[in-house]
């Protein structure tokens, strides 16, 4: 069924000889609600079926001429759903499934088999209509994302409140969000405190507390009092618009299974036509030409690869739609297939297993140095760093000028000049902890990351700890129930890594890794696993994400790098979405294999039965279209999103200056 619907190619372009699909700039929002009786193909099929029944009744009443006329009209109405398109493609030099069906329908009419031609038209139209209905259903989640953007937004300009459409918002505008209103684009909360409902975007049911400085994403619902949000992105460039664009692009990417279906279908269509011609000519030389011409037409229908052509693409679209409704962006069929084969999950520590909100736990000093001196030197080196540990140190230190000539030693630490003196900060080993070694070991065994500060000599050490996500242990347990092996990869020291891994229930720990080390380790983990998924923040983990069979970016609602680097992006901060996604992908891959297997089996059985006259045209049409209906129904199952397990997720309170506070709210099952 080689037709394009809103940028989605429903079967391989190669099979149909059609042009390559294009992605629409904006998804249509004025489509019908998706009721089955609104589908044009089903409406025409119903009309054709009524006419066929009337023709059968007239025949039973002895009205032969009237019966033949009405039955022929039924065949014409049914054929109207596919014949015009097939003729247009044929004039452009393209052949496909519609071509086969058109030849079969015209041939049946020419041979006077009006009833068989009418049945072909009715059943093929029903299959077409069900496919249309299935596509509409699987895309509702994506259209729902567009509906999250309000029709108008209230902004403050020149001291006045104005109501504007989202596309007229400008960067720097101050949006006013009243209780229950949605954000029209991305912004930063400037005035007021509230709770934000992100469930429709990230799939997380727990509201998130927000205060001045909190990022507010497009589509977020204000669940508290009125707030003022400064616009930081045009509506067309918002995180929500990027999500829609990514999903649109993902629907065009082909997985290996989809390419397999294309490779089979591409030579199959002309091959079927050659086979039918050979049957007609060879049979006519040996027997009654009419009989073998009929069999050749039946072979055309029997070998039509309709079900094969839609088996994988429809499943992919359904699976991607289900993932988007569950807070994940999956970039195409290849990612869906690979996710379904994953048996090893490698988790980064910072920002994935932890909340990426570290805080200073303890400051160690040597004799002759004070706590403030240690913090000042560390803050001077970290002043311009964007590393999470830097934020924790800067939150505890007074405002200070940045050090000069700061150089980063990858995977080790920093060096710089403060008041003419060379100072260093870094992990034990890069900077010798000296007399503080036993205390450093104690803090590392407690799960802290420790950096040692040197100002000529070692003057102290700072222990920073990033707490485990409240749902991390539950997510790891869910991965194990899926049969996954779980490993933790981190650049942190061995002691701190193992302490945190033990809390999460992870036994396999790889620590002291630089970015390139993580990528190399992914390669070593791959053999015999069936596939490795790397889960990280999409920035310093980019090499590992690119090396893994599937790269998964965690918490990518506002991170361009994460979305671009990874094959999959989890939009929210709830790690339980990972086992949920892997379970969905495994189910989708199983459905793909079922559909391809059934499609090939049907073709393999029907061709010889049709060629030797065991089955007539009406029977072949019925069996073939029934198989297509089964494939469509099976593919739609992939559109059903799974629910998150109860419990385990907390909410994060916005930080006030100088502190980082994690408030864990238990979620009732």
């Amino acid at each position: 069924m080689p037709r394009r619907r809103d940028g989605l190619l429903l079967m391989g372009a190669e099979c149909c000889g059609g042009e390559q699909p294009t992605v629409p700039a904006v998804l249509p929002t004025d489509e019908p609600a998706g009721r089955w009786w609104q589908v044009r193909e089903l409406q025409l099929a119903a009309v054709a079926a009524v006419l066929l029944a009337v023709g059968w009744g007239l025949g039973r009443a002895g009205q032969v001429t009237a019966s033949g006329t009405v039955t022929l009209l039924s065949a014409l109405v049914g054929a109207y759903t596919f014949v015009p398109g097939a003729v247009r493609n044929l004039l452009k030099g393209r052949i496909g499934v519609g071509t086969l069906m058109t030849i079969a329908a015209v041939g049946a009419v020419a041979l006077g088999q009006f009833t068989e031609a009418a049945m072909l038209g009715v059943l093929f139209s029903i299959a077409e209509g069900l496919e249309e209905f299935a596509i509409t259903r699987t895309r509702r989640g994506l259209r729902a994302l567009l509906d999250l953007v309000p029709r108008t937004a209230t902004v403050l300009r020149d001291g006045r409140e104005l109501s504007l459409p989202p596309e007229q918002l400008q960067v720097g505008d101050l949006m006013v969000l009243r209780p229950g209103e949605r954000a029209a684009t991305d912004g930063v909360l400037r005035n007021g405190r509230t709770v934000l409902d992100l469930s429709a975007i990230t799939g997380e049911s727990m509201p998130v507390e927000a205060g001045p400085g909190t990022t507010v994403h497009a589509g977020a619902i204000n669940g508290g009092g009125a707030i003022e949000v400064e616009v930081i992105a045009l509506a067309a460039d918002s995180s929500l618009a990027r999500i829609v664009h990514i999903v649109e692009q993902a629907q065009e990417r082909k997985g290996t299974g989809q390419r397999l279906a294309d490779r089979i279908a591409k030579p199959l269509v002309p091959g079927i036509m050659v086979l039918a011609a050979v049957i007609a000519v060879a049979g006519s030389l040996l027997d009654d030409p009419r009989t073998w011409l009929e069999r050749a037409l039946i072979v055309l229908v029997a070998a039509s690869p309709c079900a094969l052509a839609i088996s994988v693409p429809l499943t992919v679209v359904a699976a991607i739609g289900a993932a988007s409704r569950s807070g994940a962006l999956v970039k195409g069929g290849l990612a869906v297939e690979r996710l379904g084969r994953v048996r090893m999950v490698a988790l980064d520590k910072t920002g994935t297993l932890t909340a990426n909100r570290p805080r200073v736990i303890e400051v160690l000093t040597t004799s002759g140095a004070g706590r403030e001196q240690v913090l000042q030197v560390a803050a001077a080196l970290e002043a311009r760093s964007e590393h999470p540990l830097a934020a924790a140190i800067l939150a505890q230190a007074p405002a200070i000028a940045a050090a000069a000539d700061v150089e980063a030693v990858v995977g080790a630490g920093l060096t710089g000049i403060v008041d003419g003196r060379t100072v260093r900060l870094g992990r034990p080993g890069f900077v010798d902890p000296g007399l503080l070694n036993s205390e450093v070991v104690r803090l590392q065994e407690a799960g802290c990351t420790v950096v040692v500060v040197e100002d000529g000599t070692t003057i102290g050490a700072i222990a920073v700890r990033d707490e485990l996500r409240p749902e991390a242990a539950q997510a790891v347990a869910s991965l194990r129930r899926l049969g996954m092996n779980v490993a933790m990869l981190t650049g942190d020291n061995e002691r701190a890594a193992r302490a945190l891994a033990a809390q999460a229930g992870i036994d396999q720990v790889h620590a002291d890794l630089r970015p390139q080390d993580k990528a190399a380790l992914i390669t070593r983990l791959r053999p015999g696993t069936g596939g490795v998924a790397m889960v990280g923040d999409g920035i310093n983990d980019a090499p590992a994400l690119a090396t893994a069979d599937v790269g998964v970016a965690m918490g990518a609602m506002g991170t361009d790098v994460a979305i671009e680097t990874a094959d999959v992006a989890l939009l929210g901060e709830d790690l339980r979405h990972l086992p949920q996604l892997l379970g969905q992908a495994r189910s989708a891959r199983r459905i793909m294999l079922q559909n391809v297997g059934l499609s090939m089996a049907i073709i393999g059985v029907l061709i010889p039965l049709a060629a030797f006259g065991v089955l007539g045209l009406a029977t072949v049409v019925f069996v073939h279209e029934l198989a297509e209906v089964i494939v469509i129904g099976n593919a739609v199952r992939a559109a059903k999103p799974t629910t998150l397990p109860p419990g385990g997720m907390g909410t994060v309170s916005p930080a006030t200056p100088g502190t980082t506070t994690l408030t864990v709210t238990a979620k009732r099952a």
Side-chain angles (χ1 to χ4, degrees):
M1 280 171 267
R3 299 194 300 141
R4 194 183 317 280
R5 296 185 181 120
D6 303 323
L8 292 176
L9 197 65
L10 303 184
M11 67 176 293
E14 299 91 337
C15 172
C16 301
E19 58 192 54
Q20 293 296 325
T22 56
V23 181
V26 180
L27 211 69
T29 56
D30 56 351
E31 295 181 14
R35 305 295 184 184
W36 65 267
W37 59 81
Q38 295 176 307
V39 180
R40 172 178 168 274
E41 289 84 355
L42 292 179
Q43 292 173 344
L44 290 174
V47 173
V50 170
L51 291 173
L52 180 60
V54 171
W56 178 83
L58 290 172
R60 296 282 293 180
Q63 303 294 324
V64 179
T65 303
S67 173
T69 302
V70 174
T71 304
L72 177 60
L73 182 59
S74 171
L76 294 175
V77 172
Y80 186 71
T81 63
F82 60 91
V83 170
V87 172
R88 286 194 297 270
N89 285 333
L90 191 59
L91 292 176
K92 296 177 182 179
R94 300 195 296 259
I95 60 174
V97 176
T99 309
L100 301 182
M101 291 298 182
T102 298
I103 294 172
V106 172
V109 170
L111 294 173
Q113 297 182 357
F114 296 167
T115 300
E116 287 76 4
M119 286 188 63
L120 186 151
V122 170
L123 293 174
F124 193 64
S125 296
I126 290 174
E128 285 267 273
L130 290 176
E131 184 183 339
E132 172 74 32
F133 180 57
I135 288 291
T136 301
R137 285 191 60 187
T138 58
R139 300 186 67 214
R140 283 180 187 168
L142 188 54
R143 290 202 309 272
L145 287 176
L146 293 176
D147 293 338
L148 296 180
V149 178
R151 301 292 182 184
T152 60
T154 302
V155 297
L156 291 175
R157 287 184 182 174
D158 300 325
R160 295 185 302 135
E161 287 192 6
L162 302 176
S163 183
L164 302 173
E167 56 269 21
Q168 293 185 16
L169 293 176
Q170 301 174 5
V171 175
D173 276 344
L174 208 59
M175 287 191 298
V176 178
L177 293 184
R178 295 181 175 82
E181 291 184 343
R182 292 185 185 272
T185 187
D186 297 338
V188 176
L189 199 157
R190 294 306 183 198
N191 295 305
R193 303 186 71 84
T194 187
V195 291
L196 298 175
D197 180 358
L198 303 175
S199 58
I201 306 169
T202 66
E204 296 171 6
S205 58
M206 295 298 295
V208 178
E209 297 178 22
T214 301
T215 300
V216 180
H217 295 290
I221 301 176
N222 177 21
I227 57 175
E228 295 179 359
V229 178
E230 181 183 346
V231 174
I232 60 173
L234 300 178
D237 300 324
S238 71
S239 55
L240 194 59
R242 290 203 311 273
I243 291 173
V244 173
H245 180 62
I246 290 289
V247 175
E248 287 173 341
Q249 287 183 320
Q251 289 172 337
E252 303 300 333
R253 300 189 183 190
K254 297 180 180 180
T256 54
Q258 186 170 346
R259 289 195 297 267
L260 173 63
D262 288 343
R263 287 199 301 270
I264 295 172
K266 181 178 180 179
L268 190 58
V269 173
I272 292 166
M273 299 180 70
V274 172
L275 175 62
V278 169
I279 290 173
V281 173
S284 298
L285 296 175
L286 301 173
D287 201 353
D288 179 25
R290 179 184 177 89
T291 299
W292 287 97
L293 183 58
E294 290 178 1
R295 290 184 182 181
L297 293 174
I298 297 172
V299 167
L300 283 177
V301 177
S304 177
C306 299
L308 174 65
I310 67 168
S311 57
V312 176
L314 187 55
T315 307
V316 167
V317 173
I320 291 173
S324 68
R325 293 193 296 276
S326 300
L329 295 181
V330 182
K331 297 183 180 179
L334 184 58
V336 172
E337 276 202 75
R338 287 180 173 176
L339 277 171
R341 293 199 304 265
V342 164
R343 292 297 180 273
M344 164 67 76
V345 178
L347 298 168
D348 176 49
K349 180 177 78 71
T350 304
T352 301
L353 284 169
T354 66
N356 202 20
R357 296 179 180 87
R359 57 192 179 93
V360 174
I361 300 297
E362 191 171 339
V363 179
L364 305 175
T365 61
T366 59
S367 57
R371 184 178 188 274
E372 294 301 318
Q373 180 186 354
V374 173
L375 287 172
Q376 284 178 359
V377 172
L381 287 169
E382 298 278 21
R384 292 173 180 165
S385 173
E386 296 182 357
H387 194 281
L389 295 182
I393 293 172
L394 292 171
Q396 295 295 314
I400 189 170
D405 300 328
V406 176
E407 293 184 4
V409 181
V410 178
L414 301 170
T415 64
I417 305 295
V418 174
D419 295 333
R421 305 185 313 274
T422 299
V423 296
R424 294 197 303 163
L425 173 149
R427 64 170 61 195
F430 176 66
V431 180
D432 183 8
L435 297 176
L436 299 176
N437 186 66
S438 60
E439 287 297 297
V440 167
V441 171
R442 173 183 64 82
L443 289 167
Q444 288 178 334
E445 290 177 344
C448 295
T449 298
V450 181
V451 292
V452 184
V453 182
E454 179 186 271
D455 187 353
T457 61
T458 299
I459 61 173
I462 302 173
V464 179
R465 185 162 59 205
D466 191 4
E467 302 293 348
L468 191 72
R469 291 181 183 273
E471 79 281 4
Q474 184 183 4
V476 171
S478 297
L479 289 172
R480 294 195 185 281
R481 283 194 294 272
L482 287 172
M484 304 288 177
N485 295 315
V486 184
M488 186 176 83
L489 278 58
T490 179
D492 209 346
N493 68 86
E494 183 82 16
R495 294 188 184 92
R498 290 199 175 278
L500 188 135
Q503 298 177 46
I506 300 174
D507 300 324
Q508 189 173 349
V509 179
H510 303 274
D512 294 309
L513 300 175
R514 294 171 297 174
Q516 60 268 35
D517 297 330
K518 292 182 181 180
L521 181 61
I522 290 294
T523 302
R524 295 199 299 272
L525 291 174
R526 182 178 291 115
T529 61
V532 179
M534 173 65 195
V535 188
D537 62 13
I539 302 173
N540 63 333
D541 295 311
L545 289 171
T547 304
D549 295 287
V550 183
V552 182
M554 180 73 186
M557 262 307 288
T559 310
D560 290 326
V561 174
I563 291 179
E564 293 299 326
T565 303
D567 303 296
V568 179
L570 300 181
L571 302 179
E573 298 290 338
D574 192 334
L575 191 57
R576 294 176 301 160
H577 284 301
L578 179 61
Q580 179 192 32
L581 175 64
L582 289 169
Q584 288 176 339
R586 186 173 293 183
S587 175
R589 183 170 181 270
R590 187 165 54 248
I591 290 171
M592 289 180 197
L593 295 176
Q594 291 170 354
N595 284 347
V596 171
L598 176 61
S599 303
M600 293 302 297
I602 291 295
I603 293 174
V605 170
L606 288 184
I607 288 178
L609 293 178
F612 290 102
V614 177
L615 298 178
L617 180 60
T619 304
V620 168
V621 168
F622 178 77
V623 173
H624 207 288
E625 301 309 322
L626 177 62
E628 188 172 355
V629 170
I630 292 173
V631 165
I632 291 172
N634 195 35
V636 169
R637 292 194 300 121
K640 182 179 180 181
T642 57
T643 57
L644 282 176
M649 185 59 186
T651 59
V652 179
S653 300
T656 56
T659 64
T660 302
T661 306
L662 179 68
T663 304
V664 178
T665 306
K667 181 182 174 184
R668 295 182 179 178

